[in-house]
Amino acid sequence: MQRRSTLKVLLAGLLAGASLIAHAEGVKELSPPQPTLPAGQIEVIEFFSYGCPHCSNFEPLLVKWRAQQKPDVVVKKVPVSFGRAEWAALGRLYITLSALGQADNLTPAVFEAVHKDRIRLEDEKVRNDWLAKKGVDVKKFNDTWRSFSVDAQYKRAEQMSVSYKVMSVPNLVVAGKYLVEGGDPAGLSTVDGLIAKVRAGK
């Protein structure tokens, strides 16, 4: 698990108003619960970073698990930076790829580039060269990267990591209420149990 390293972010989280209550082994309960999807849909958020090696290892497990879910389960990814400039750039990379409809397709390649090939995708020139090789319209990408919408989504993602008291990645939040440390099949099994609990209205 990748841990926060800055006191500033921790203090900001403590001031955000939500607290964590121990719920069961590997599960913490957000109090108060955070906003989530309407009744009939169960939201699962993965807080992650392309810069996190644990998130990279977890990605194939999450993709397989996501494909097995019923239609009422909506899985989202929210990038975090923990105050690191390189992770902030990688977070904007994910948000921009999402806006272009290419995040699902390119996320495995991004993880491979960062952790296997050691490509510094936080650097604009390096990133542009890499994107071009992947068939991405670089001008469109950069125009989107600099857009008001991406800026707003990035700021929202940063605020969410504070409001949800995310202290490590990958973390999974179920229905805006239950926080589970991800990274292995056991965490996903726990999420399955929480989804069943939410679905049953307990």
Side-chain angles (χ1 to χ4, degrees), residues 6 10 24 30 40 51 62 76 84 92 114 118 131 134 139 141 145 163 166 170 190 197 199:
T6 63
L10 175 60
L30 287 166
L62 184 65
K76 299 179 180 180
R84 305 179 188 183
R92 288 188 74 99
V114 172
R118 304 299 179 184
L131 289 168
K134 295 299 179 181
K139 182 182 185 305
F141 176 91
W145 171 287
S163 298
V166 177
T190 299
K197 180 176 181 178
R199 192 176 280 135

Side-chain angles (χ1 to χ4, degrees), residues 45-97:
I45 299 175
E46 183 206 13
F47 288 92
F48 84 108
S49 171
Y50 281 143
C52 166
H54 307 290
C55 298
S56 179
N57 294 333
F58 185 53
E59 182 66 15
L61 298 176
L62 184 65
V63 169
K64 181 178 179 180
W65 175 86
R66 180 177 182 175
Q68 297 170 345
Q69 300 310 300
K70 295 180 180 179
D72 63 340
V73 176
V74 178
V75 182
K76 299 179 180 180
K77 297 173 84 72
V78 174
V80 301
S81 73
F82 295 157
R84 305 179 188 183
E86 64 273 22
W87 280 29
L90 292 172
R92 288 188 74 99
L93 170 59
Y94 172 77
I95 292 170
T96 304
L97 289 176

Side-chain angles (χ1 to χ4, degrees), residues 8 16 22 25 32 56 63 75 78 111 134 138 143 153 178 182 191 195 202:
K8 180 179 178 180
E25 185 176 358
S56 179
V63 169
V75 182
V78 174
F111 275 127
K134 295 299 179 181
V138 175
D143 287 344
Q153 289 181 62
Y178 305 106
V191 170
I195 288 174
K202 296 181 180 179

